[in-house]
Amino acid sequence: MTLSASREQFGKLRLSQVDPAQCLRGLNALVSPNPYDLEPIRPIVEFDLSKYRLMDSMDVVAGLDSRPVLVKLTPTEFEHLIRQLFEAIGMEAWNTQASKDEGVDAVAVSKDPVFNGECIIQAKRYSKLVGVESVQALAGVVEHKRAAKGVLIATSWFGRASHDFARQHGRLQLIEGPELKYLIKEHLGKDVIPGPVPPKRRPSR
């Protein structure tokens, strides 16, 4: 059998006085048909989001025109759009308060029993190169919050140093304009223009 009860629920119980069967039913426990069977259950995954200052959500997708330019969105609109993207992908996500986000624009969690984890998101509405210092700062926030992963999303692009740093860190993912365009089209059904096209890189010698 398995069950989940809040501290308040459990505190009201007098275990020496309750009827076991009625108590389990009252707590909505899952119980196998007989002691020799196993009842398939989904593991209970809980995340402590009290370390983030979350804010109410807004629907940015509904207000987008036929082919919006992402760099023309306000910073707040862009951050909420990214949160909606993660929700469309299948995660639970929240935006943080702008003035006290500690370098976190949104937080998303996956309760998949195999690939579960807490993901910190930073959204950069840039029209130029995102410097490696932004990637390094995200790594620090990921460690401080003890998150499973950090994702840095930009309407522009990252340099080679940023990609190398993210690859060496192991828990960072960088999403540039073209990939963001694909993800929004795939999961939100919107054809967007992320921002300027990055300059062609010279081949390394």
Side-chain angles (χ1 to χ4, degrees):
M1 65 182 179
T2 183
L3 65 87
S4 176
S6 67
R7 181 182 296 272
E8 182 181 3
Q9 286 177 303
F10 192 78
K12 294 179 180 179
L13 298 177
R14 297 293 178 267
L15 298 181
S16 61
Q17 301 175 12
V18 300
D19 176 84
Q22 290 184 355
C23 182
L24 290 175
R25 283 194 294 269
L27 294 175
N28 297 317
L30 290 176
V31 183
S32 61
N34 66 67
Y36 301 101
D37 285 339
L38 293 178
E39 181 73 13
I41 63 167
R42 184 179 182 88
I44 298 170
V45 182
E46 301 290 345
F47 295 94
D48 179 16
L49 299 178
S50 62
K51 55 189 171 183
Y52 303 101
R53 298 182 65 85
L54 306 179
M55 64 184 300
D56 294 334
S57 301
M58 70 166 64
D59 187 354
V60 176
V61 176
L64 295 179
D65 57 23
S66 58
R67 198 159 187 243
V69 180
L70 296 185
V71 292
K72 292 184 178 180
L73 298 176
T74 67
T76 299
E77 288 173 336
F78 183 61
E79 292 169 9
H80 280 269
L81 173 65
I82 298 305
R83 186 257 312 156
Q84 288 184 275
L85 173 60
F86 274 78
E87 290 176 338
I89 290 173
M91 302 179 75
E92 294 183 60
W94 301 265
N95 289 101
T96 59
Q97 296 181 22
S99 61
K100 301 176 180 179
D101 62 5
E102 298 180 274
V104 180
D105 295 322
V107 57
V109 299
S110 170
K111 293 189 176 182
D112 186 283
V114 177
F115 301 103
N116 69 79
E118 184 179 306
C119 176
I120 286 176
I121 304 164
Q122 285 187 351
K124 301 290 187 183
R125 188 183 51 93
Y126 277 23
S127 57
K128 58 182 180 180
L129 173 75
V130 179
V132 67
E133 62 275 3
S134 295
V135 185
Q136 294 168 340
L138 175 60
V141 176
V142 169
E143 300 300 332
H144 176 64
K145 298 293 188 182
R146 299 183 180 179
K149 189 174 185 178
V151 181
L152 184 53
I153 301 176
T155 53
S156 56
W157 64 94
F158 301 93
R160 185 176 289 109
S162 294
H163 287 286
D164 289 344
F165 182 89
R167 185 166 47 252
Q168 292 169 9
H169 185 275
R171 288 189 289 149
L172 301 181
Q173 181 177 356
L174 307 182
I175 298 178
E176 299 176 302
E179 186 179 359
L180 177 59
K181 174 183 174 69
Y182 168 81
L183 291 173
I184 291 177
K185 178 69 173 179
E186 178 74 12
H187 297 284
L188 296 176
K190 293 289 185 178
D191 186 14
V192 301
I193 301 172
V197 177
K200 292 185 179 179
R201 294 172 180 164
R202 294 180 180 179
S204 57
R205 295 180 180 179

